[in-house]
Amino acid sequence: MNRLSTLGVAIAASCFSTLSAADDAVKSMVKSIEPKVIEWRHHIHQNPELSNREFKTAALVAKHLRGLGIEVEEKVAYTGVVGVLDSGKPGPVVALRADMDALPVKENSGVDFASTAMGEYNGEQVPVSHACGHDTHVAMLMGAAELLASNKDSFTGKVVFLFQPAEEGAPKGEGGGAEMMVAEGALSKHGVESVFGIHISSGDEEGAIGYRTKGIMAGVDDFKITVKGKQVHGAYPWAGIDPVVTSAQLINQIQTIVSREAMLIEAGAVVTVGAIHGGVRSNIIPNEVEMLGTIRTFDKDMRAKVFEGMHRRVNGIAEATGTEIKLELPYSASYPVTYNNPALTKAVLPIMERAAGKDMVFERRAVTGAEDFSFFQQEVPGVYVFLGGRDPKIPADQAPAHHTPEFAVQDGAMKTGVELFYRWVTEYPVGYNK
């Protein structure tokens, strides 16, 4: 080996040693704060709060951030908390997001910190639990905030912490969630350039990170269809116009938008009718039937195609049956696709591999569920990933699903999430090709 080659090997070895030492230092910091993160998670889990009612959770977060010397803004989009940490040096402005709300679900997870809380939902007293894992999201971001505040020399620019309410949907008659935070300037007033988010996953291996470029979660639009006929005695259907039979035809025709018109090799789509109401007696054909449903799509072209197909079928069947059909689309909710910026995703992939280990990072399939993190991504480039939290003793096909009483995830997964939040800031790929 010549002298030049020997020098090259020495430099490479030195760089590798330095990188390894830096990685070890980050992992050591995360390990030291892990007990706190677990304690926060258990406390939040035992004190869950429904959408736009996250008063105690928001107060806990605000107190924690202020104690770290982070500038805090409260009551953003009702109960949201925004924290700003300035490194004191010029650089990028990066936002990190955690959602705070729980669900009206009675917990049956078997963990010793299970929720027994009650809350009000649609005017009724209901059990409340963190059946989707948002407690872990809050605890992880609280941990990352503490590490970043203690190591301001490790990054440039600013970090904006977005503790968001109402991801599961605002109560009837209220706004809320990411859309409202955006409207109130949570990103624009601080000059945010990129945004990152993590969702715990009960079905993926503990500590694994699942990512996807472009659409990782579906856009969602709900709809309401009102079919008006002419009420008549059930014994004499020819004397009226039957909205029930018309509704049956319409439901069947709606399904052919996806099965016969959508080019599914390019992008997936789902059209579901989830509720139908009409009539009060077996021998009366009612005057009206109402249907509620949801549409899930992964790109704007597919969304436009499904919308056009819905209107075309409504108009055609109304003319064929003599009914009046009103389509309200979207009806009450419309979330964009959770879209991971391809260039940013590619640029931060090595960061994810350092946080979890290269063998624990995988490209996952898209999810037909929806996420209002997508509203942040409509404003600035963003990346949203899934963090595995499944108990290693449980097979993947037996893992408890999100939004169910049995939902559970492992505390041990959170250290990877804390580290990922931290590295997204301290190793942010300045100058990536947007």
Side-chain angles (χ1 to χ4, degrees), residues 227-243:
V227 182
K228 292 186 177 182
K230 181 180 178 182
Q231 187 164 315
V232 69
H233 195 297
Y236 314 109
W238 53 83
I241 299 174
D242 193 338

Side-chain angles (χ1 to χ4, degrees), residues 207-271:
I209 296 173
Y211 75 97
R212 184 180 181 85
T213 58
K214 299 185 179 180
I216 190 169
M217 297 186 75
V220 58
D221 297 278
D222 66 349
F223 62 85
K224 179 180 179 181
I225 299 175
T226 305
V227 182
K228 292 186 177 182
K230 181 180 178 182
Q231 187 164 315
V232 69
H233 195 297
Y236 314 109
W238 53 83
I241 299 174
D242 193 338
V244 176
V245 171
T246 299
S247 298
Q249 293 178 38
L250 187 54
I251 291 170
N252 285 331
Q253 283 297 310
I254 284 172
Q255 301 310 307
T256 65
I257 298 172
V258 173
S259 67
R260 291 296 176 269
E261 293 186 12
M263 193 175 294
L264 299 178
I265 58 173
E266 292 186 354
V270 172
V271 180

